[in-house]
Every structure is written in structure tokens, then in C-alpha cells.
Amino acid sequence: MKTLLSPLMQTFSVLLVFMVSSLPAGASPQAKPLPLSVVVTIPPLAGMIAPLLEPEDRIEVLLKEGESPHGFALRPSHLKTLKNADALLMVGSPVDAWVHKSVERMQNKTINMAKLANLQKLPIRKGGLWEKKLPKKEGHEHDGHKHSAMSYDGHLWMSIHNAKQMIGAFSEKLMELRPDQAQSIQLNTQNWLAKIAQTENLVNQQLKPNRHTPFMVLHDAFQYFEQHFELNGVGSIRLNPELQPSVKRLLTLRKKLKSENVQCIFKEPQFPDKQILKLAENTSVTVGELDPMGYVYAQKNQAGFVNFDVFISSLGESFLQCFQGKASGR
């Protein structure tokens, strides 16, 4: 046995010396980081930060497809998930008000988009029929400037500027959790932001010819996107997404369709489209579809979300298809 082991041990020693000597000076093999558990309230937040994570990391989206943020309540399984999370990302507006109380015990783990500095916050458009188009401006608000719960449009994730702020904030949190990978995380963040900017420019070029095309939406969830790309939204069908419009309002909207020469009306997959189809009946208006949560764009993705660049491009494509007179097939 001794005569067999000796050559084997010698060979192993030679290989070990060779492997160590092949490493750069001062380098040592890095241990694989432990998987992280990141919880987000809505799918678009997951799409913002997924490219910064390792394949082994887990993203849990609390609001699943088919669930409305209005009246949603956390279940015991959600509370357990939150307790075990390494980080929680939330919008901090009424869309995820159902999680606000639960985060009081995990403030050091939470990134609240609404509380980030240099955030874009647009005022709520009143009345549903927008007589004046807001001037194109950044409209950034800094920490310390107080807002009441409903003084600004709570669809903050629809702003590309806000998404970039959220990505930056999560990148910093990730470097806290994985300090040994700080340089790699910084590089990944730069590359990810560059990819979003590239998509942003592409969508801008696609939509530019249709900036003056009048359209209506089911409810006013797309103001940030609309203003960023200088689109011409003229009104929303529902003042409250959960309440159907009255007959009187439908008649007013019908007049608006004609007076503004509206070309498109956008429905949403979370709500019935019967009234929209009725409104567009016997008109030349095309009915399209926009999804502020991105469920439709993630149908072939088991994760239940798409990366934010795909979210942007999918919204842009939905606008473009409708502007070109191609109705939604759903």
C-alpha cells in the first residue's frame, strides 16, 4: 500500500503547488457568496434589481398576478417571508400601503422608493379629463420636502428616473451585504444602467413620430411614462380604478373622443374591458392594452416579472401598436 500511495501523494502535491502558483500575487480563491432573499411588493421593482443579483439569490414578489393592490392583505406566509428577508423593496405609495406597518420592524433592511432623495413626483391630475398638458420638467423632490399621502401620483415606478434611483439605492445595499464584491457590483450596476439608457433611447425614437397622437387610458397610471416620452394623453376613463364610470361620465368621454380626435384607448388586464369596448364602438378609435404591473409582458417568464428594460420596451411597443391602428389581441 505504501508503494501505491507515495506516487499519488507526490502527484497531488505537485498539482497543489501548481494551482497556488498560478494565482495572481496576493490573490486567494473567493468563497461563493451565500444566497440572498430579496422581497419586493410589486413586479416592476423585481425587474429593476434582478440583473444585480446572483442566479442563486431569491426574489419574492408579494403581489401576484390576478391580485389587486386595493384591498390586498398580507398573509402569515408573507410575514414569514418578510421576517427572513435580507432586503425589502417597496414603492411607499398607496399601491403597497398594505406592507407599510410590517416594515416598521425591518427599517434597516427596507428601501422605500418614495423616500429616496432626488425623486420625481408628479402631481395627481384631477378630473380625469386633462385640459392642459403638463410642461415637460423633471419635477424632482428631495428628502425633507413633505407630501401628503395623495398629493402626488403614486405610480412612482413608472418613472425611468425613479427606477434608476431605486437601482442605485439597491446597489448600495447590496455592497453592504456583500462588501467583498463591491467592485463587481459597481461594474454590474453601471452596465445595467447603461442598458436601460439604451432601451430608453430606442423607445424614444420609436414613439417620437406619435408624440401628438391623442389617447386615453383606463386610469391615470402612466403619467410618468407619458411625460418622459412627451406623449399626448388627454384623459382617463376611471377616476378611481376600482369604480366603474357612470353613464353621465361615459357620455362626456364619448364627446371627448370626438373633440380631441382620440386615436387610442388603452385597457388594462387587471380590469374588465366591457365599458372600454362600448365606448369605442362605432368609432375609429383603436383599443390597445397597457399593463402597469407588467404581468402581461411576463407571461412566458416563470419568475412573474420581466427586467425593467423589457418592461419599458414592452410599454413602448404597446403604445406604438395602438398608434399604428393595431388593436390588442387579448
Side-chain angles (χ1 to χ4, degrees), residues 242-257:
E242 296 296 312
L243 299 178
Q244 294 189 7
S246 64
V247 174
K248 181 181 179 180
R249 177 162 178 78
L250 288 174
L251 291 174
T252 302
L253 289 168
R254 186 83 173 189
K255 292 178 182 178
K256 185 79 169 179
L257 289 181

Side-chain angles (χ1 to χ4, degrees), residues 64-205:
K64 308 294 188 190
E65 183 175 6
E67 295 176 321
S68 170
H70 305 277
F72 181 79
L74 291 174
R75 296 184 285 275
S77 59
H78 293 142
L79 297 175
K80 183 178 179 180
T81 299
L82 287 170
K83 182 179 179 181
N84 297 327
D86 295 292
L88 166 68
L89 278 67
M90 59 186 290
V91 180
S93 72
V95 73
D96 55 13
W98 33 267
V99 82
H100 292 188
K101 286 186 179 180
S102 299
V103 303
E104 292 176 0
R105 295 184 298 273
M106 51 186 303
Q107 289 294 333
N108 61 327
K109 296 182 179 181
T110 301
I111 303 176
N112 186 332
M113 177 180 272
K115 292 184 178 181
L116 295 179
N118 196 33
L119 206 70
Q120 183 185 28
K121 291 182 177 178
L122 299 177
I124 294 174
R125 293 189 282 199
K126 306 291 184 180
L129 299 177
W130 312 319
E131 299 302 333
K132 287 186 178 181
K133 188 172 174 62
L134 287 171
K136 183 171 175 57
K137 60 181 180 180
E138 289 304 312
H140 298 162
E141 300 289 355
H142 298 264
D143 272 351
H145 188 91
K146 294 182 179 179
H147 294 268
S148 64
M150 295 299 294
S151 67
Y152 62 88
D153 185 337
H155 302 87
L156 298 171
W157 71 94
M158 298 296 298
S159 163
I160 296 174
H161 170 85
N162 292 348
K164 292 175 181 177
Q165 299 300 108
M166 191 62 148
I167 291 167
F170 181 72
S171 178
E172 292 179 5
K173 171 61 70 176
L174 198 55
M175 285 187 281
E176 289 178 15
L177 295 170
R178 289 174 171 163
D180 293 342
Q181 293 190 322
Q183 189 172 356
S184 174
I185 292 168
Q186 285 181 329
L187 181 60
N188 288 343
T189 303
Q190 292 170 4
N191 291 338
W192 175 222
L193 290 173
K195 187 175 183 182
I196 291 176
Q198 185 179 18
T199 302
E200 180 183 352
N201 291 333
L202 179 62
V203 172
N204 186 54
Q205 291 303 313

